[in-house]
């Protein structure tokens, strides 16, 4: 659901040039409002970023402000085979999910937007369902189906489950992109004799590339950051970094968790920042 | 002369794909959702009613045993409180954000989006770091001499409410911001020119026009709060179960799958019901 609001929000930020809108009269009211908003923004940012200083402190218990800067928790994280296995498993799964969700989602979006599908509206609703249904319901349901056929705790099971969770994001961004481009471009290519596939590959795809890329990033993060389903379908053989975090928070609360969390945060911010940068470049090119 | 009974080529339908082609392209999606979504959910629901023969005992148990009813009610209560808090905290942020321009607006937007982009698990862990006995809040209060003994902050209902409000706040701020941004600034200026104070202009002009965004945000926050697992699991503990953590407990600890299925089914029905009932508010957020 986050991508829906973000699209309209960041679009609004980019499209209307700033200022001149402020119409609160100066004085105590405005100062109070700004102070309150400042507090809320701190409330929003502080817990998100607190893992960073926590991962750098010397003490093995929680200490604030952290005394003695050290990278030893990061060293412990990178040296621990359990953590590295979990991280690598999460990365593998996320990459496979991204590839599968992007391909499946893009093709299906094309069929929905440009095609002639019976029950298109039902399919659209079904596509959004993984976003709406609480993950705990999906987690428990998936375990019920996967456990008897040996799909828990392994790469294939995770790839299938996460692709299901991620494909809605791809379909949302790609459908939006398909609806924005001019269908005449594709028609022109077809009229010049291109096959449907060639027209798609050479004309449509380059034009929807930013939408596909954004969908791919959302799919990656949806898989990598996902905690609830991962908790339930992990096993000894296949455990994600989120499941490992869950376990260690319960049984082994050390700053290594903060180091692993920081790694996850940095990865998320770099990827999402990249999407934003792409979007702002695209927006500035639009007339 | 063209054969009048020949089928029209699909290209005449403004570039539409033929039906067979559409079906082929959509097939992987249908297979994926069928196997990984419909089948598991169906199996869970059917298993709750057929254990092994048709029985309503698991569903009835939800309302018969008071402890489960209490958990359900507490989940709804928590969701309502979180929604109200999210509104009270988030509306001012959206208001200020909508009135800023350029750099400042970007900065505020970053403060809202950065938490949204980080994993819920990491943010919930941060609340443990903040609220535990030897955590940051207690250490700070003790070092300032305000308390002698550490306060019991974590594994309380309050901790769940605060942490969930933190996690869900961006989902309130963003739709409200969108709807505020869509209000033409001339309206406020017109009201002021006619003699209204800033507060009156806000109350009579801005606030009513921003309500669609408020409803969208409130609906999203409420529905998300109901089904949330990670944050209540980490910050609430076994004493403060929500329906989601109860479902988890029934499966992992008690292995009571039919009952967990009934609970999950109830949560699913309530979620779908709310989405259907409030879908006209939710479609607001989709308008790009």
């Amino acid at each position: 659901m986050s991508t829906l609001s973000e699209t309209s929000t960041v679009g609004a930020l980019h499209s209307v040039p700033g200022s001149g809108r402020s119409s609160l009269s100066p004085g105590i009211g405005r100062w109070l409002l700004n102070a309150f908003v400042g507090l809320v923004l701190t409330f929003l940012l502080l817990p998100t970023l607190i893992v960073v200083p926590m991962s750098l402190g010397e003490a093995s218990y929680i200490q604030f402000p952290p005394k003695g800067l050290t990278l030893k928790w990061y060293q412990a994280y990178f040296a621990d085979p359990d953590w590295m296995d979990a991280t690598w498993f999460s990365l593998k799964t996320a990459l496979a999910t991204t590839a599968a969700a992007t391909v499946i989602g893009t093709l299906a979006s094309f069929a929905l937007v440009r095609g002639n599908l019976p029950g298109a509206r039902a399919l659209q609703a079904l596509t959004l369902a993984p976003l709406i249904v609480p993950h705990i319901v999906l987690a428990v349901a998936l375990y019920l189906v996967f456990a008897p056929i040996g799909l828990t705790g392994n790469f294939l099971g995770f790839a299938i489950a996460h692709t299901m969770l991620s494909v809605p994001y791809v379909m949302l961004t790609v459908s939006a992109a398909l609806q924005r481009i001019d269908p005449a471009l594709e028609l022109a290519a077809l009229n010049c004799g291109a096959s449907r596939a060639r027209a798609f590959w050479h004309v449509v795809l380059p034009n929807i590339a930013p939408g596909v890329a954004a969908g791919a990033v959302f799919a990656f993060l949806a898989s990598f950051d996902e905690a609830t389903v991962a908790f339930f379908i992990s096993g000894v053989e296949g455990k994600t970094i989120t499941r490992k975090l869950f376990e260690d928070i319960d049984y082994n609360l050390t700053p290594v968790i903060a180091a692993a969390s920081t790694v996850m945060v940095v990865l998320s911010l770099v990827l999402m920042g990249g999407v934003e940068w792409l979007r702002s470049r695209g927006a500035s090119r639009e007339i | 002369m063209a054969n009048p009974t020949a089928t029209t080529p699909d290209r005449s339908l403004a570039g539409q794909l033929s039906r067979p082609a559409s079906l082929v392209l959509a097939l992987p999606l249908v297979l994926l959702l069928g196997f990984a979504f419909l089948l598991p959910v169906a199996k869970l629901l059917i298993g709750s009613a057929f254990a092994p023969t048709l029985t309503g005992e698991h569903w009835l148990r939800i309302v018969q045993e008071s402890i489960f009813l209490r958990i359900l009610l507490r989940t709804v209560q928590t969701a309502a409180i979180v929604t109200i808090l999210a509104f009270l905290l988030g509306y001012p942020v959206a208001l200020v954000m909508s009135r800023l321009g350029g750099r400042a607006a970007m900065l505020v937007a970053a403060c809202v989006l950065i938490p949204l982009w980080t994993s819920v698990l990491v943010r919930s862990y941060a609340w443990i770091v903040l609220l535990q006995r030897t955590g940051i809040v207690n250490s700070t209060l003790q070092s300032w001499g305000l308390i002698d003994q550490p306060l019991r902050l974590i594994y309380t209902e309050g901790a769940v409410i605060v942490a969930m409000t933190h996690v869900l706040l961006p989902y309130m701020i963003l739709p409200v911001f969108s709807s505020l941004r869509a209000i033409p600034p001339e309206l406020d200026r017109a009201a002021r020119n006619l003699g209204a104070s800033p507060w009156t202009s806000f109350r009579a002009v801005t606030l009513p026009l921003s309500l669609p965004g408020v409803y969208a945000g409130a609906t999203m926050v409420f529905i998300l709060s109901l089904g949330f697992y990670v944050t209540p699991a980490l910050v609430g503990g076994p004493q403060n179960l929500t329906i989601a953590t109860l479902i988890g407990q029934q499966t992992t600890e008690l292995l009571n799958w039919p009952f967990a299925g009934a609970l999950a089914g109830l949560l699913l029905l309530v979620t779908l019901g709310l989405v259907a009932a409030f879908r006209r508010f939710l479609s607001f957020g989709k308008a790009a």
Side-chain angles (χ1 to χ4, degrees):
Chain A
M1 287 199 197
S2 63
T3 58
L4 313 176
S5 311
E6 278 174 49
T7 316
S8 53
T9 302
V10 187
L13 277 174
H14 284 296
S15 60
V16 180
S19 120
R21 296 183 72 102
S22 175
S23 43
L24 292 169
S25 65
I28 191 87
R30 187 199 209 173
W31 188 89
L32 273 176
L33 179 66
N34 288 346
F36 181 74
V37 168
L39 276 177
V40 176
L41 292 176
T42 313
F43 174 70
L44 272 173
L45 263 191
L46 184 69
T48 313
L49 300 177
I50 199 88
V51 286
V52 180
M54 285 295 107
S55 66
L56 296 170
E58 180 65 41
S60 66
Y61 51 88
I62 305 295
Q63 194 187 46
F64 196 80
K67 296 178 183 39
L69 290 178
T70 170
L71 288 176
K72 71 180 186 190
W73 304 116
Y74 288 94
Q75 285 172 328
Y77 166 68
F78 284 111
D80 186 332
D82 217 19
W83 274 112
M84 285 292 102
D85 281 344
T87 309
W88 178 232
F89 186 78
S90 278
L91 276 174
K92 259 196 320 186
T93 307
L95 286 170
T97 300
T98 305
T102 306
V103 170
I104 295 177
T106 305
L107 293 178
S109 295
F110 197 65
L112 272 174
V113 174
R114 287 272 189 276
N116 181 14
L117 275 180
R121 295 195 69 178
L123 186 60
Q124 249 167 349
L126 183 63
T127 310
L128 294 180
L131 287 180
I132 296 172
V133 175
H135 278 209
I136 181 68
V137 175
L138 293 173
V140 165
L142 279 167
Y143 183 85
L144 206 52
V145 167
F146 280 12
I149 54 180
L151 279 180
T152 50
N154 69 37
F155 175 72
L156 181 62
F158 262 100
I160 296 174
H162 278 186
T163 306
M164 178 268 295
L165 289 174
S166 306
V167 95
Y169 295 104
V170 176
M171 293 199 64
L172 283 172
T173 58
V174 173
S175 299
L178 276 172
Q179 281 161 348
R180 266 202 296 267
I181 70 169
D182 189 351
L185 291 171
E186 200 188 341
L187 269 176
L190 292 172
N191 280 338
C192 291
S195 71
R196 183 63 80 156
R198 266 191 95 186
F200 180 79
W201 186 258
H202 288 284
V203 177
V204 177
L205 205 49
N207 275 296
I208 60 170
V212 174
V217 170
F218 295 147
F220 182 87
L221 286 177
S223 165
F224 192 73
D225 286 346
E226 207 281 326
T228 310
V229 172
F231 181 75
F232 280 85
I233 66 173
S234 281
V236 178
E237 287 294 306
K239 198 194 301 182
T240 57
I241 190 175
T242 47
R243 164 81 197 209
K244 171 87 180 146
L245 275 169
F246 244 122
E247 282 174 1
D248 274 29
I249 289 174
D250 275 340
Y251 300 121
N252 188 18
L253 192 64
T254 69
V256 179
I257 299 178
S261 302
T262 308
V263 169
M264 283 183 70
V265 169
V266 168
L267 184 62
S268 301
L269 291 183
V270 164
L271 284 174
M272 287 305 290
V275 171
E276 273 315 300
W277 179 74
L278 262 182
R279 222 205 292 255
S280 64
R281 270 185 57 200
S284 61
R285 266 196 262 121
E286 282 167 17
I287 301 163
Chain B
M1 198 163 81
N3 184 344
T5 61
T7 48
T8 332
D10 58 292
R11 290 167 192 189
S12 70
L13 292 170
Q16 254 197 345
L17 280 176
S18 69
R19 178 154 291 195
S22 308
L23 286 171
V24 166
L25 288 182
L27 187 64
L29 177 70
V30 174
L31 288 176
L32 174 73
L33 290 179
F35 176 68
F37 179 78
L38 287 175
L39 175 65
V41 173
K43 189 166 179 194
L44 187 67
L45 292 177
I46 291 173
S48 73
F50 288 85
T53 51
L54 180 61
T55 167
E57 73 170 283
H58 300 289
W59 283 82
L60 284 174
R61 197 173 159 213
I62 301 176
V63 290
Q64 279 166 347
E65 293 187 35
S66 66
I67 182 171
F68 300 128
L69 261 186
R70 255 191 293 137
I71 292 176
L72 283 183
L73 289 175
R74 205 181 320 124
T75 308
V76 172
Q77 185 189 13
T78 304
I81 295 176
V82 168
T83 306
I84 294 172
L85 279 178
F87 169 71
L88 291 175
L89 292 177
Y91 193 98
V93 175
L95 188 64
V96 168
M97 211 164 117
S98 70
R99 293 184 174 178
L100 290 172
R103 271 283 150 78
M106 291 286 179
L107 211 60
V108 176
C111 290
V112 175
L113 291 174
I114 284 174
L116 199 57
W117 293 340
T118 53
S119 161
V120 177
L121 190 54
V122 170
R123 286 182 275 162
S124 306
Y125 164 65
W127 278 104
I128 296 180
V129 167
L130 284 169
L131 296 178
Q132 51 174 215
R133 270 188 85 250
T134 53
I136 294 179
V137 172
N138 271 325
S139 314
T140 315
L141 289 177
Q142 276 180 312
S143 68
W144 288 351
L146 290 172
I147 54 172
D148 297 317
Q149 294 286 342
L151 298 171
R152 170 115 185 282
L153 294 170
I154 199 151
Y155 302 141
T156 63
E157 197 171 335
V160 174
I161 290 175
V162 168
M164 274 177 49
T165 306
H166 165 80
V167 168
L168 295 175
L169 197 51
Y171 292 101
M172 172 67 78
I173 294 177
L174 293 179
V176 174
F177 170 76
S178 275
S179 70
L180 281 170
R181 201 54 154 175
I183 302 174
E186 297 83 52
L187 293 178
D188 177 68
R189 273 183 234 141
R192 301 290 299 286
N193 277 338
L194 292 171
S197 68
W199 168 250
T200 309
S201 169
F202 170 74
R203 181 179 51 80
V205 176
T206 311
L207 183 58
L209 287 174
S210 67
L211 281 182
V214 174
Y215 294 148
T219 309
M220 273 205 282
V221 171
F222 187 79
I223 294 178
L224 287 172
S225 307
L226 283 180
F228 231 52
Y229 178 75
V230 176
T231 310
L234 285 179
V235 171
Q239 301 290 353
N240 294 286
L241 290 176
T242 64
I243 189 172
T245 46
L246 175 65
I247 293 172
Q249 186 200 55
Q250 291 291 321
T251 49
T252 50
E253 290 171 35
L254 299 172
L255 301 179
N256 190 347
W257 285 92
F259 185 55
L263 288 168
L266 180 64
L267 177 60
L268 180 62
L269 286 175
V270 170
T271 302
L272 291 178
L274 286 173
V275 170
F278 292 105
R279 67 180 174 282
R280 67 189 178 99
F281 299 134
L282 290 174
S283 64
F284 175 91
K286 292 186 174 62

